[in-house]
Amino acid sequence: MTMTDPSSLDAVLAKINHRLKTAQIGVRVEQIDNRVFLRATLPPKPNSTKTKPYQQRIALGLYASHEGFKRAEAEARLLGGLLACKSFQWEPYLKLPKTDAVETIEDLIQRFEKYYFQTRARNHQSETTWKIDYWQAFKKLPQAEILNAENILKAVTATAPDTKTRKRTCMALGALARFAQIEINLKPYAGKYGPRRVAPRDLPTDTAIAKVFYEIESESWRWVYGMLATYGLRNHEVFRLDNAAISRGDYIINISENSKTGSRSVWPCYPEWFEEFELENVVLPEVDLNQSNAALGHVVTNWFKRNSIPFAAYNLRHAWAIRTLILGLDISLAAQQMGHSVKTHSELYHRWISRQYHQRAFEVMASKSERLQAPRILGHEKR
């Protein structure tokens, strides 16, 4: 065998790592392309946002060869000794010669995050999208490895098929793969998740909603509840309103651009609730409004759970949507007020209307004085 025979180098590398393991040295030698690295659990690098040690690589600036591996084993034993004595410092290793364009998944994600916020405004809306739609998926990847089609697919198939999580994971990892110029088609794995596959909810009646309002002791949380019920807001949107206008008695509320789907106006289905719930008396809970939309949403969700509200906060939003259908609000207007596309709104809510809602809608239609009347045939009136 020649000195550069890959099978020969693989055998040399395997023997080195076996010797290191037998000696209980917590460092491994790795080969990536034609370069040699050390891998170990190391403290965060200077200026890192991390606080605890984690698996990282050290680029040695060596080529994969018998001589390179020999040098790497010596460096591994030295590093192991420094770690054992708790005297490891990053500075000497950061000065080592750089390798050719080798970056870990962790490094790639940091570069992608920088690009992401360079191409859009950084606000509550975009930060929530990053954390929920992207970072939750990126966390599934092995951070210390090099991104490739294999570990992307492994992360995707670790999620349940035909779920929102699977669809979101495919979207996020597909974007990361394109950014890293890795060819992989995740469309076949995305599945068939959509609004139609979501289980229908047992929504509270309007009477039950109003009854709970008066059972809430906290003045500020009673106001939050009343706003959610009257306007069908997302949880976090109750903290993203033009409260000055509401305090002046304006029942048409305006949601700021920092909401999930940007600014919009919303009308109450029951204008009476604006007065009955005294919503012009704006009283916000003591909540850090600088939090992300997701964090603010969780504050509301957790309050509902802690105070044993008999239904989830989001069911107030869904009840508002169903109410608009019953009252005959044009679906395009209802969708716009909820921050939906017409397609999403239709798929999500039309299938939730049970027999009782059909009956109520019929009664509203039949009671309208201006409704179209059935034709009467002269000479055939009922005697």
Side-chain angles (χ1 to χ4, degrees), residues 124 220-221 223-224 228 233-243 255-256 258 283-289 291 293 295-300:
H124 292 298
S220 58
W221 281 104
W223 182 83
V224 167
L228 295 174
L233 305 174
R234 297 181 178 93
N235 292 3
H236 71 273
E237 289 176 341
V238 76
F239 300 107
R240 307 285 191 226
L241 303 173
D242 181 356
N243 292 324
I255 300 171
S256 79
N258 280 332
V283 187
L284 284 171
E286 293 185 3
V287 173
D288 180 6
L289 301 183
Q291 298 180 81
N293 291 338
L296 285 173
H298 284 306
V299 169
V300 176

Side-chain angles (χ1 to χ4, degrees), residues 15-28:
K15 290 179 180 179
I16 289 173
N17 283 323
H18 178 72
R19 287 194 294 268
L20 293 172
K21 184 176 181 181
T22 302
Q24 296 184 331
I25 296 173
V27 183
R28 295 293 175 268

Side-chain angles (χ1 to χ4, degrees), residues 18-205:
H18 178 72
R19 287 194 294 268
L20 293 172
K21 184 176 181 181
T22 302
Q24 296 184 331
I25 296 173
V27 183
R28 295 293 175 268
V29 177
E30 293 186 346
Q31 176 184 344
I32 299 176
D33 295 328
N34 64 335
R35 297 285 189 166
V36 182
F37 297 78
L38 300 183
R39 180 173 177 176
T41 299
L42 303 169
K45 294 177 183 178
N47 301 322
S48 172
T49 57
K50 293 184 178 293
T51 58
K52 297 181 180 179
Y54 62 103
Q55 283 278 308
Q56 298 179 73
R57 285 189 176 89
I58 292 178
L60 296 177
L62 300 173
Y63 285 98
S65 65
H66 286 271
E67 186 60 32
F69 284 152
K70 182 179 179 180
R71 170 73 181 279
E73 182 175 3
E75 292 288 350
R77 292 180 181 275
L78 174 60
L79 176 59
L82 293 173
L83 293 172
C85 296
K86 297 183 179 179
S87 57
F88 172 82
Q89 296 292 329
W90 267 109
E91 283 71 18
Y93 290 96
L94 295 176
K95 297 177 181 178
L96 290 172
K98 300 297 181 182
T99 57
D100 298 330
V102 176
E103 64 180 344
T104 64
I105 290 174
E106 180 187 20
D107 295 333
L108 175 64
I109 291 172
Q110 290 177 355
R111 192 160 60 87
F112 181 78
E113 181 181 9
K114 183 178 180 180
Y115 164 79
Y116 179 84
F117 287 110
Q118 285 176 337
T119 56
R120 55 184 50 75
R122 184 158 200 156
N123 51 38
H124 292 298
Q125 180 182 351
S126 60
E127 286 184 350
T128 296
T129 300
W130 169 261
K131 291 177 182 177
I132 301 300
D133 290 340
Y134 289 92
W135 175 237
Q136 291 298 322
F138 293 165
K139 288 195 300 185
K140 299 178 174 68
L141 295 167
Q143 301 294 301
E145 294 185 10
I146 307 301
L147 188 69
N148 55 43
E150 183 180 356
N151 49 35
I152 290 175
L153 192 55
K154 185 177 180 180
V156 167
T157 55
T159 62
D162 297 324
T163 61
K164 187 175 184 178
T165 299
R166 168 66 70 85
K167 184 176 181 180
R168 181 177 284 162
T169 300
C170 286
M171 181 279 296
L173 297 191
L176 187 64
R178 289 191 297 274
F179 182 74
Q181 297 183 333
I182 295 174
E183 292 188 10
I184 184 171
N185 180 15
L186 296 178
K187 287 184 179 180
Y189 300 92
K192 301 178 181 179
Y193 171 83
R196 290 182 178 276
R197 299 183 66 83
V198 178
R201 300 168 186 261
D202 184 14
L203 300 180
T205 65

Side-chain angles (χ1 to χ4, degrees), residues 208-226:
I209 291 173
K211 184 174 182 294
V212 169
F213 173 85
Y214 292 106
E215 295 173 351
I216 298 173
E217 296 181 2
S218 167
E219 182 182 10
S220 58
W221 281 104
R222 189 165 59 245
W223 182 83
V224 167
Y225 177 97

Side-chain angles (χ1 to χ4, degrees), residues 260-298:
K260 179 180 179 181
T261 51
S263 60
R264 66 182 194 279
S265 298
V266 188
W267 280 251
C269 285
Y270 289 149
E272 301 86 354
W273 276 0
F274 184 86
E275 296 182 4
E276 185 179 337
F277 294 165
E278 299 181 347
L279 298 180
E280 72 276 10
N281 298 325
V282 179
V283 187
L284 284 171
E286 293 185 3
V287 173
D288 180 6
L289 301 183
N290 292 319
Q291 298 180 81
S292 68
N293 291 338
L296 285 173
H298 284 306

